[in-house]
Amino acid sequence: MSTRPIGDHALLSDCRSAALVTSDGSVDWLCFPRFDSPAVFARLLDEDAGHWSIRPAGPAEATRRYLEDSLVLETTFRNQDGTVVLLDALALGGRERGHSLGASSPGVLLREVTCVEGSVPLEMTYAPRPEFGLVHPLMEPVRGGLVARGGAHVLTLSAPVDLTVSDSTARAAVTLRAGQRLCLALQASWGWAPEPPRRHPWRVHRRLKDTVAGWRSWSRLHTGYRGPWQEQVGQSGRVLRALTFSPTGAIVAAATTSLPESVGGERNWDYRYTWIRDTSFTLQALATATCELEEASFFSFLARAAATELDRGVDLQIMYGVGGERDLSERLLPHLDGWRGSAPVRVGNDAWRQRQIDVYGELLDAAWQLYGDAGRLDRLTRSFLVGVAETAARRWQEPDQSLWEVRGPSRHYVHSKLMCWVALDRAVALAPTLGATGRVAEWERTRERIRAEILARGWSERVGAFTQTFETDDLDASVLMMPLVGFLPGDDPRVRATVEAVAAHLTDARGLVHRYHSADGLPGGEGTFLLCTFWLAHALALAGRGGPARKAFETAASYANDVGLLAEEVDSVTGEPIGNFPQAFSHIGLINAARAIRDTGG
């Protein structure tokens, strides 16, 4: 089984697909040509599921960073004989700049090793295992590299070194001396397409430089945030861009599947899809990072993907594939052991079948953020958004599975009702833009009914806080959203009491927040959620409690790894990152909380 810590990985992206690289130079995760494609390297989930490592032979000290304002990874290895620098990147299209990142589809992994002092012997192991390790390809050495055939793709490795091949694995040993450079590239092509040419070393070097320039050009356009934690906000903005499928504007929740919510547990889900529930907070984060075009692209993708005739009684689907696909049926990969034995490994996500009535609020809140100032919407989008509001007004009294996608019985979740209130509140504000001023009076009446129900049935006198579901005493961190969406002001006594209750009863000894402690229909437990801790910081800032807000923020942010990436959760026992990685929602929470603390003078 794979035992490498989740936080030991760094992300590479070409804004279409993603790779994860360990601190000792091994690519242990790579999906071509899309984020949700079957993995070519999946050692992250099973030791025998493929990897590509380059490292010094023998012990070496390793340090790493991203080159400034980019997602090109630099790993420096030092041993007693000398120093080498490894650069890794997923290539951007040639001369792509600014908002065009990922506009073309190069699908090339670039690796360059340079000896900067002394003499360092290197060893390389290349073991591609397409389709999550099911395929052990046939390998053929060719001039300038190696071709691997098997399954749907042909993998072409450009490597100007002598390779030995055995059991679908290629190995090489080479010594670099000061000033010498080794350039390598891996490209995937369809099995029926012409083979791509091997890439000469100077072309690899040039593409690396061009990819650095591409990322830096994008970063220069997104430097609008000024305030505390500016570097972390900037890095989080790049992570969101890296998790964007550029052809459509979809943003995946994470780059991975089946990294567990507890070590050895079975809460292992595929997060390589796009969720409506993330929409409004994603747009806030993109606005903070001045990503206006990304905001519009993301909303347009969701509006297209979600568009349907809601008056037929169907639910609004909660999630989509990066191309807008709806059927995300879940299946198991029993041949994989899972990270640290955390099985099963899943691809697909059956949460797409769930009812979550909160999504109406997230979608309309996003539309309000983008088009609330008399922005222009096409006729079909206006009609669809009116249908979203009408459906929220009609279905808000129904139980659902909540934003946490509980796999137990449907219940009346307070957060779901809250977001139906948001749906109608934003629909009222958008009515002139939607051409729906005639519906305002009815929407306002239903909005006030929802508000009254939440205040009466969502509040527990015994607990002294708003709770997870109507007329219960269970706490849930999602109620921290009340001041964040404007349902109640941050300094309302009931909000303050709820914030204190969450801090007292859902926070662990490290200061990190659990989602809830109630039963959810699944065995085992889970770690603390970084998003929920950022929500706590955000709510504290809105309550005028700047000191505790900063403390909560810095506690959550301290769990970023050495290159600034955040996982979904933190193990309450060991303190190590767990869950899918890197997690978009964690980085979204960081950006939004930083802005809130800045804007409230915290």
Side-chain angles (χ1 to χ4, degrees):
M1 69 182 73
S2 174
T3 59
R4 175 79 60 171
I6 290 170
D8 188 60
H9 296 85
L11 172 70
L12 308 178
S13 170
D14 58 9
C15 302
R16 288 173 176 263
S17 53
L20 294 178
V21 188
T22 66
S23 62
D24 62 350
S26 181
V27 181
D28 281 3
W29 182 257
L30 174 65
C31 295
F32 272 153
R34 299 186 354 168
F35 293 108
D36 55 357
S37 296
V40 174
F41 304 126
R43 189 160 70 165
L44 181 66
L45 297 176
D46 189 290
E47 188 67 25
D48 297 324
H51 71 287
W52 180 15
S53 64
I54 302 172
R55 61 169 65 91
E61 175 189 343
T63 58
R64 62 182 178 173
R65 64 175 184 132
Y66 286 117
L67 296 184
E68 184 178 3
D69 294 335
S70 82
L71 280 184
V72 175
L73 181 68
E74 177 190 83
T75 305
T76 301
F77 296 102
R78 295 180 177 87
N79 64 17
Q80 61 184 4
D81 299 314
T83 302
V84 294
V85 175
L86 170 65
L87 294 181
D88 287 316
L90 281 173
L92 299 176
R95 302 294 298 169
E96 285 185 354
R97 297 292 185 267
H99 290 105
S100 70
L101 296 194
S104 61
S105 182
V108 182
L109 175 59
L110 306 172
R111 314 198 74 183
E112 177 184 282
V113 194
T114 303
C115 184
V116 296
E117 64 176 350
S119 173
V120 181
L122 301 172
E123 57 186 20
M124 183 182 87
T125 303
Y126 168 67
R129 299 291 184 265
E131 296 189 44
F132 296 103
L134 284 177
V135 177
H136 286 231
L138 297 176
M139 289 185 167
E140 179 186 6
V142 295
R143 183 178 179 183
L146 186 74
V147 174
R149 294 183 177 87
H153 289 91
V154 172
L155 300 171
T156 302
L157 175 67
S158 301
V161 294
D162 293 329
L163 299 166
T164 61
V165 177
S166 176
D167 298 326
S168 296
T169 300
R171 293 178 173 84
V174 61
T175 296
L176 293 185
R177 294 173 174 81
Q180 291 184 324
R181 177 188 297 140
L182 176 64
C183 297
L184 308 105
L186 174 63
Q187 185 167 359
S189 58
W190 293 109
W192 58 84
E195 281 184 23
R198 261 67 69 196
R199 293 177 178 268
H200 295 293
W202 67 269
R203 290 185 180 275
V204 174
H205 181 67
R206 188 174 66 181
R207 287 298 299 278
L208 265 171
K209 291 180 65 176
D210 190 64
T211 296
V212 173
W215 275 109
R216 287 177 174 168
S217 72
W218 184 89
S219 295
R220 282 195 297 271
L221 296 175
H222 301 85
T223 57
Y225 177 80
R226 294 290 185 270
W229 309 294
Q230 191 167 309
E231 183 177 342
Q232 291 96 319
V233 169
Q235 176 68 340
S236 291
R238 274 186 292 278
V239 171
L240 293 183
R241 179 59 189 173
L243 295 176
T244 299
F245 185 67
S246 185
T248 64
I251 299 177
V252 296
T256 58
T257 180
S258 300
L259 294 181
E261 296 178 11
S262 62
V263 179
E266 62 180 69
R267 296 168 183 252
N268 317 321
W269 317 113
D270 194 345
Y271 274 17
R272 300 172 300 154
Y273 306 112
T274 297
W275 272 256
I276 286 183
R277 69 172 182 210
D278 302 357
T279 308
S280 59
F281 279 92
T282 301
L283 292 187
Q284 288 179 25
L286 292 173
T288 299
T290 61
C291 304
E292 294 90 349
L293 290 180
E294 286 82 354
E295 289 181 78
S297 180
F298 182 43
F299 180 81
S300 295
F301 162 75
L302 283 174
R304 291 192 305 270
T308 189
E309 290 288 346
L310 292 171
D311 59 2
R312 295 185 297 113
V314 299
D315 293 315
L316 182 64
Q317 187 161 312
I318 69 167
M319 58 188 294
Y320 302 90
V322 296
E325 298 85 358
R326 297 193 177 201
D327 186 346
L328 307 178
S329 296
E330 191 174 294
R331 63 188 177 91
L332 305 184
L333 301 181
H335 65 285
L336 298 178
D337 289 337
W339 182 80
R340 293 191 187 170
S342 303
V345 171
R346 297 177 169 93
V347 292
N349 195 315
D350 274 346
W352 73 277
R353 306 176 191 273
Q354 287 190 353
R355 169 178 296 168
Q356 295 178 24
I357 62 173
D358 64 294
V359 294
Y360 307 115
E362 277 102 8
L363 199 54
L364 278 162
D365 188 53
W368 174 71
Q369 289 179 53
L370 281 174
Y371 304 106
D373 294 327
R376 299 182 63 181
L377 285 167
D378 63 80
R379 181 184 62 82
L380 286 178
T381 302
R382 292 198 304 271
S383 175
F384 170 60
L385 291 174
V386 170
V388 171
E390 294 289 339
T391 305
R394 185 173 64 249
R395 310 192 76 165
W396 70 271
Q397 298 179 78
E398 299 177 6
D400 73 340
Q401 265 65 44
S402 89
L403 85 161
W404 302 135
E405 298 170 359
V406 173
R407 297 206 173 190
S410 298
R411 300 168 70 190
H412 290 282
Y413 288 92
V414 171
H415 174 267
S416 298
K417 313 302 183 187
L418 170 69
M419 296 311 295
C420 285
W421 177 90
V422 169
L424 296 174
D425 184 73
R426 303 324 189 238
V428 168
L430 277 169
T433 299
L434 299 178
T437 53
R439 297 297 302 146
V440 166
E442 183 61 31
W443 286 345
E444 288 178 333
R445 282 192 291 270
T446 305
R447 179 186 64 183
E448 295 314 306
R449 284 183 60 199
I450 300 172
R451 178 183 179 85
E453 284 282 289
I454 292 172
L455 295 177
R457 302 177 64 194
W459 174 266
S460 168
E461 290 290 348
R462 287 183 296 275
V463 177
F466 289 105
T467 56
Q468 183 181 60
T469 55
F470 278 176
E471 297 170 350
T472 67
D473 296 334
D474 295 325
L475 288 171
D476 191 306
S478 65
V479 296
L480 294 170
M481 294 277 287
M482 286 186 173
L484 277 60
V485 299
F487 180 79
L488 288 172
D491 59 358
D492 184 284
R494 292 162 294 185
V495 170
R496 285 190 169 186
T498 300
V499 170
E500 292 302 322
V502 169
H505 301 294
L506 290 183
T507 303
D508 72 356
R510 291 184 169 82
L512 301 172
V513 179
H514 287 275
R515 295 189 298 177
Y516 49 78
H517 289 315
S518 55
D520 60 6
L522 290 169
E526 61 186 25
T528 50
F529 265 62
L530 290 173
L531 169 67
C532 296
T533 311
F534 285 121
W535 279 351
L536 177 61
H538 197 152
L540 285 165
L542 295 179
R545 301 189 60 201
R550 292 182 71 94
K551 181 178 180 181
F553 181 98
E554 289 171 353
T555 296
S558 72
Y559 285 90
N561 72 358
D562 58 324
V563 289
L565 303 180
L566 292 165
E568 179 184 26
E569 304 178 26
V570 174
D571 189 290
S572 291
V573 176
T574 65
E576 69 174 322
I578 54 174
N580 283 303
F581 183 83
Q583 178 77 9
F585 231 166
S586 297
H587 286 277
I588 290 165
L590 182 151
I591 294 172
N592 291 337
R595 185 199 65 246
I597 294 170
R598 181 199 66 181
D599 292 350
T600 56

